[in-house]
Amino acid sequence: MSARAGWPLYEVFVRGKRGLNHVHVGSLHAPDDEMAVHAARDVYTRRNEGVSIWVVRADAITASSPDEKDPMFAPSGDKVYRHPTFYEIPADVPHI
Amino acid sequence: MHEETVYDALDTTHGGGGQWAFGTGFDDPLAGVELTVPDGVDPADLGAYCLMLGDDALVLAQRLTEWITAAPELEEEVAFGNTALDLLGQARLLLTRAGSVGVLGRSRSTATDSIPDEDALACFRDPDEFRCTGLVAAGNGDFAQTMVRLLAASTVRLAVFARLRASRDPVLAAVAAKGVHELAYHRDHAARWVLRLGDGTPESHRRAQAGVDAVWPHLADLFTATDVEARLAAAGVAVDPAGVGDEVHDVLTTVLTRATLRVPGRPADVVPRGRTGGHGPELSALLTTLQGLARRHPAATW
């Protein structure tokens, strides 16, 4: 049982049929990287969702801390001029 | 803001009906396929052959389903479920084909008329009417033995289906064309586990070797054609199992050797038992579970 508890946690990213980028869909435990891809296929794409899978060990992700939320993100909250909403977008430019 | 989930695309491919939970974008493997029996082929032979391939899938699916709620890991339990459902899908197409060419016999007289052919064949045949091999009927054993058996069974079936894509029977060819992708994944998944268990800890190696030794004798029963298979192979409809034995043993030897497992000697081919209805008590026990509900409540729907 202890060996099972030792399986590392992986985060799973799937690109859907019409998706442009991989999207986080959940997490799972697996004994190694290759088996994590298989497990992700079996757990997260069994309803025909995906065409590509990324997995990454959760402990390889460096995340921002919830405690730092305000210093990290509040400063950008009042700077509307950073949004490119003042440009005319040509009709034939997709994916914006 | 661009909020995307992989499920959005599913919903739009399905007309936005919000039915993505049931899956979308599925293909009907028999769409546009000609259903008439090819010239010169006895429908009874074709039906019997469909039962052989269909019963292998049905029985192995049931064996894998026995791991549901009992698998060592949640992720692997879902994998067992997926594999079983792939095989069940193959079984449904093959049993339906068998029913359509007239093999129902006793099972139709036992089942109520409202039951589809595939269900009558799955749930209202007795063990001696099943045509699966001993390889799939045998009990699971532990996780390692289950994976060794899945490796062997999917290697055999993939070798057969790869050839069956060229069958003169368009239904068998279509079922095989769909199945090879599923079976390639099953074989790959099982092989990865056999590699890890064989070349893992002393305990996993011991169990994997015991699994190999338990599964191997069943390979004797697989590679001699029955009369039905011989006639259909000559007609370009079926695959002669004698033609896949070398490939199967090469694949299995490659995987086991890499997994540091000892490869038992190739068992001498024997006259097929399972293909002609000769089964042990393990199949009867499996069918009691598989068929119990349908037989007790033959008109039930859900």
Side-chain angles (χ1 to χ4, degrees):
Chain A
M1 298 298 276
S2 58
R4 277 194 227 159
W7 281 14
L9 184 69
Y10 284 81
E11 300 299 332
V12 180
F13 301 80
V14 171
R15 184 164 71 78
K17 281 182 176 170
R18 296 191 178 180
L20 297 170
N21 42 344
H22 288 71
V23 178
H24 185 241
V25 293
S27 52
L28 51 79
H29 290 94
D32 56 47
D33 296 357
E34 283 186 8
M35 296 310 284
V37 172
H38 266 226
R41 180 266 195 194
D42 278 319
V43 175
Y44 290 110
T45 68
R46 60 199 297 273
R47 297 188 183 90
N48 216 10
E49 293 97 335
V51 294
S52 174
I53 295 171
W54 290 346
V55 294
V56 62
R57 278 181 63 143
D59 61 13
I61 295 175
T62 306
S64 61
S65 164
D67 298 339
E68 300 170 329
K69 184 163 171 276
D70 285 345
M72 290 281 275
F73 305 116
S76 65
D78 61 349
K79 294 166 177 79
V80 65
Y81 49 83
R82 288 180 181 168
H83 288 268
T85 51
F86 307 102
Y87 296 96
E88 295 282 334
I89 299 176
D92 58 349
V93 176
H95 308 317
I96 291 183
Chain B
M1 183 58 81
H2 183 62
E3 290 279 351
E4 184 196 12
T5 80
V6 287
Y7 307 110
D8 290 341
L10 285 179
D11 202 28
T12 54
T13 55
H14 207 253
Q19 299 295 308
W20 59 263
F22 305 111
T24 59
F26 295 119
D27 303 319
D28 175 2
L30 296 185
V33 172
E34 178 63 47
L35 296 178
T36 52
V37 177
D39 287 342
V41 173
D42 182 352
D45 279 352
L46 181 60
Y49 188 61
C50 289
L51 287 184
M52 294 177 191
L53 298 178
D55 287 347
D56 276 350
L58 176 67
V59 169
L60 185 55
Q62 181 69 14
R63 282 287 178 229
L64 295 174
T65 303
E66 292 173 6
W67 276 103
I68 303 300
T69 74
E73 288 289 334
L74 177 67
E75 290 81 355
E76 207 50 43
E77 184 163 299
V78 180
F80 277 132
N82 291 347
T83 305
L85 284 170
D86 286 344
L87 292 169
L88 194 62
Q90 294 176 13
R92 292 188 60 188
L93 295 169
L94 289 161
L95 294 186
T96 298
R97 177 63 163 167
S100 73
V101 298
V103 303
L104 280 153
R106 264 190 280 162
S107 59
R108 175 44 80 203
S109 59
T110 313
T112 63
D113 288 342
S114 63
I115 293 178
D117 289 354
E118 55 177 303
D119 291 341
L121 287 167
C123 296
F124 291 89
R125 272 182 302 156
D126 293 327
D128 66 308
E129 297 173 280
F130 273 74
R131 294 293 176 266
C132 53
T133 66
L135 177 64
V136 296
N140 278 327
D142 62 10
F143 182 80
Q145 184 175 329
T146 298
M147 279 302 168
V148 171
R149 188 255 296 278
L150 181 60
L151 173 66
S154 55
T155 299
V156 173
R157 196 167 175 84
L158 179 58
V160 171
F161 272 39
R163 290 159 176 77
L164 197 61
R165 285 179 295 184
S167 172
R168 277 182 61 228
D169 180 48
V171 175
L172 286 176
V175 170
K178 170 178 180 286
V180 288
H181 301 297
E182 299 168 337
L183 295 163
Y185 184 84
H186 304 166
R187 189 179 75 167
D188 183 44
H189 189 72
R192 285 165 192 266
W193 268 117
V194 171
L195 288 173
R196 281 159 176 77
L197 295 168
D199 195 14
T201 67
E203 174 66 2
S204 74
H205 179 89
R206 182 187 69 75
R207 285 176 174 242
Q209 187 66 59
V212 170
D213 295 340
V215 166
W216 228 248
H218 293 296
L219 297 176
D221 202 18
L222 297 175
F223 304 119
T224 304
T226 58
D227 293 344
V228 167
E229 288 168 297
R231 283 194 296 271
L232 289 178
V237 169
V239 175
D240 183 348
V244 304
D246 288 346
E247 177 185 321
V248 168
H249 278 278
D250 283 350
V251 170
L252 295 179
T253 298
T254 301
V255 175
L256 296 194
T257 303
R258 272 196 57 200
T260 72
L261 293 164
R262 178 177 42 75
V263 185
R266 179 170 174 171
D269 292 334
V270 299
V271 177
R273 293 182 298 266
R275 292 283 188 234
T276 52
H279 306 288
E282 287 183 316
L283 181 67
S284 301
L286 176 144
L287 292 178
T288 300
T289 305
L290 173 66
Q291 300 177 332
L293 179 66
R295 289 192 178 217
R296 181 166 292 221
H297 302 286
T301 57
W302 56 86

